[in-house]
Amino acid sequence: MDGKEFHDWSLRAAEWGAAYRASLRDRPVRPPMNPGAVFDSIEASPPEQPQSMETIFADFEEKIVPGMTHWQHPRFFAYFPANAAPVSVVAEYLVSAMAAQCMLWQTSPAATELETRTVDWMRQALGLPEGFAGVIQDSASSATLAAVLTMREKALDWLGNGKGLAGQPAVRIYASDQVHTSIDRAIWVAGIGEANLVRIPTKGRWRAMDTQALEAAITADRAAGLLPAGIVACVGGTSTGGTDDIAATAEVARRHGLYLHVDAAWAGSAMICPEFRHFWTGIERADSIVFNPHKWLGAQFDCSIQFLRDPASHVRTLAIKPDYLKTHGHDGIVNYSEWSVPLGRRFRALKLWFLLRAHGLENLRQMIRNHVAWSEALAARLAREPDFEIVTEPMLSLFSFRHRTPAEADSDAHNLALVNAINDDGRIYLTQTKTEGRVAIRFQAGQFEATEADVVGAFDVITEIARRTA
């Protein structure tokens, strides 16, 4: 592809992207397609000779786009949002065109320094105190892995990386069953082992860790010769929004000298609104916090910020400094590859900088307030329907519900059939979960361009299809 073709096809791709985003309301949220259809449509062997961009682009439109789930659809109410505000997409065009490798200060000084500044902007926006520093990771999974590795190393007096875990006492990590499964994976990858992830029972409306049970588990483990290392708490858990009492959990961590990591991947965005910060009272006492601007704020994936109260222990755990990665002649600079598990790093800060400047915090706050209000109104409306029950009350914009069935019917099978029928219909997209062992249907409002009419319309779709499948 020469310079002119690059120019022409860049314009065409941008025009296609704008037209695609404008067409989303007319598309089904999830593709009506059977597994294997796209795979079977792609040639079994790679081409020996070059093909024209016209042919490649036509195949993209014909074979790929019809098989995509449209995450930017305004009626995407499943999982959590993975928003990509248009201004963020524009910034990503620029990042892709420059294609910089931003692992060190010297490999792209502007990328490092903009990351430092925009992360501090977000610290201020969330109301975190001065002293917290941060880094933009690819995802909350990576941030959690880094936190678990740091817990392990601190507990082992920094011997794990060098000597391994053989011969060491078993390292113990504590969390409830409301945390994301990325915590399980971090435990595996860190070599700690699933058996040493201690599940603490929950209680109350927000399904928070029972801190008395937490303290008892830590005390018992220490008496048994095990090595308590850290606690993973959550604010806005994925299943139904489970939220720990951060202040009480932090006090337990303080008393026992444990590292506290808080996963607020989704709900953290809402903390730009002061009225929602009661959900993480005590957060200033956490050692590590992760939230994803690529979920609710509108920064295109991937963009996950990890805040750290003591970056030195984090860097001590992760940094490797061979001579070929040293920046000579400059002391005191930050190399963010030393704050991350991967060495390579994208220029993630640019889209966040564009987003915050183009929308401003007040407009982003209003979007989140709208989503919360609209979701609460939908939950209240469904609660008034005799054939529906609210299983978990709204946590911000997330709640779960169930369609009632006759006593002799299988409620789980019925509600799974209902959510599948809703998604096959294509007008909205929902997901299911389990609470207290029973299937429930999740709803969350969070798509960047959703309107009140989109959320109100979800009621009609849900009730219409429930009547049809009853």
Side-chain angles (χ1 to χ4, degrees):
M1 180 178 283
D2 61 26
K4 183 178 186 310
E5 289 176 311
F6 178 55
H7 172 271
D8 293 345
W9 281 103
S10 294
L11 290 178
R12 182 160 171 185
E15 290 169 352
W16 182 91
Y20 164 77
R21 296 292 285 263
S23 73
L24 283 173
R25 288 184 186 279
D26 299 324
R27 298 174 185 260
V29 187
R30 195 180 73 171
M33 131 175 328
N34 294 321
V38 176
F39 179 83
D40 291 339
S41 75
I42 306 299
E43 293 78 2
S45 300
E48 295 290 342
Q49 300 300 323
Q51 299 177 346
S52 72
M53 275 296 293
E54 287 287 356
T55 300
I56 298 167
F57 204 90
D59 280 351
F60 162 72
E61 292 187 292
E62 179 183 339
K63 298 178 179 180
I64 305 304
V65 176
M68 295 299 294
T69 296
H70 303 298
W71 282 72
Q72 304 312 310
H73 199 295
R75 295 189 297 277
F76 185 103
F77 302 123
Y79 307 103
F80 283 136
N83 286 327
V87 68
S88 175
V89 176
V90 171
E92 281 290 81
Y93 291 160
L94 306 179
V95 168
S96 295
M98 289 187 287
Q101 173 55 266
C102 304
M103 56 189 175
L104 308 173
W105 177 85
Q106 67 177 349
T107 61
S108 280
T112 295
E113 295 183 18
L114 185 64
E115 181 163 344
T116 303
R117 180 62 75 190
T118 54
V119 167
D120 193 64
W121 279 8
M122 288 309 317
R123 177 195 64 78
Q124 296 174 53
L126 298 176
L128 295 175
E130 290 187 15
F132 275 93
V135 56
I136 305 180
Q137 308 280 21
D138 56 0
S139 66
S141 296
S142 290
T144 296
L145 174 58
V148 168
L149 289 169
T150 304
M151 292 176 189
R152 186 196 73 187
E153 287 305 290
K154 284 176 69 70
L156 292 173
D157 198 24
W158 312 102
L159 295 176
N161 281 344
K163 294 188 175 181
L165 304 186
Q168 305 280 8
V171 172
R172 304 284 271 183
I173 308 293
Y174 306 86
S176 78
D177 64 356
Q178 297 298 305
V179 297
H180 192 268
T181 52
S182 60
I183 281 78
D184 300 64
R185 188 171 293 174
I187 296 297
W188 302 346
V189 175
I192 292 170
E194 186 76 27
N196 291 307
L197 176 56
V198 182
R199 298 292 190 181
I200 305 300
T202 61
K203 64 179 184 179
R205 172 180 173 179
W206 304 116
R207 294 162 297 286
M209 269 192 292
D210 182 334
T211 52
Q212 289 184 329
L214 171 64
E215 189 145 29
I218 295 167
T219 300
D221 281 350
R222 196 162 266 146
L226 305 174
L227 186 58
I231 303 166
V232 179
C234 66
V235 177
T238 302
S239 178
T240 57
T243 296
D244 291 315
D245 182 335
I246 301 302
T249 304
E251 180 58 25
V252 173
R254 184 199 64 78
R255 281 199 296 271
H256 293 273
L258 303 190
Y259 191 99
L260 174 61
H261 173 66
V262 177
D263 180 354
W266 163 66
S269 293
M271 303 309 153
I272 67 171
C273 303
E275 67 269 28
F276 297 137
R277 290 179 191 161
H278 63 89
F279 283 116
W280 72 358
T281 298
I283 194 67
E284 70 282 353
R285 299 170 66 186
D287 296 288
S288 170
I289 307 160
V290 64
F291 97 104
N292 292 346
H294 68 232
K295 279 192 165 71
W296 209 352
L297 279 189
Q300 180 164 324
F301 185 87
D302 51 15
C303 185
S304 180
I305 296 180
Q306 183 178 12
F307 292 103
L308 298 159
R309 194 149 54 92
D310 174 25
S313 60
H314 182 90
V315 172
R316 183 176 179 181
T317 300
L318 298 176
I320 295 178
K321 300 180 180 180
D323 192 68
Y324 57 79
L325 291 181
K326 291 179 180 177
T327 301
H328 295 283
H330 294 280
D331 295 327
I333 61 170
V334 174
N335 291 321
Y336 280 119
S337 63
E338 298 173 359
W339 298 48
S340 306
V341 174
L343 172 63
R345 306 188 80 251
R346 300 179 67 250
F347 188 5
R348 300 187 182 100
L350 191 69
K351 58 196 168 194
L352 188 57
W353 188 55
F354 271 48
L355 174 77
L356 292 173
R357 295 182 68 191
H359 287 274
L361 287 174
E362 192 50 45
N363 283 331
L364 295 173
R365 290 186 190 107
Q366 190 58 54
M367 175 191 69
I368 287 171
R369 288 166 177 151
N370 286 343
H371 292 162
V372 172
W374 298 341
S375 188
E376 288 175 344
L378 177 62
R381 193 174 177 192
L382 279 172
R384 293 193 293 270
E385 292 292 304
D387 294 335
F388 285 89
E389 61 176 316
I390 300 302
V391 178
T392 56
E393 295 290 335
M395 161 57 184
L396 298 172
S397 65
L398 169 66
F399 68 92
S400 66
F401 65 93
R402 190 180 292 127
H403 189 234
R404 292 190 175 97
T405 55
E408 67 276 7
D410 186 329
S411 174
D412 284 0
H414 172 76
N415 279 280
L416 285 174
L418 174 57
V419 75
N420 287 333
I422 288 169
N423 293 337
D424 289 343
D425 174 82
R427 284 175 286 174
I428 66 173
Y429 187 24
L430 305 177
T431 44
Q432 73 287 332
T433 189
K434 278 195 172 181
T435 177
E436 297 181 357
R438 296 181 61 198
V439 169
I441 301 175
R442 293 173 73 258
F443 179 95
Q444 68 79 31
Q447 202 283 324
F448 199 79
E449 294 170 338
T451 66
E452 185 174 13
D454 291 315
V455 178
V456 169
F459 175 86
D460 297 328
V461 175
I462 292 167
T463 53
E464 171 196 324
I465 295 177
R467 286 192 297 270
R468 191 190 311 159
T469 58

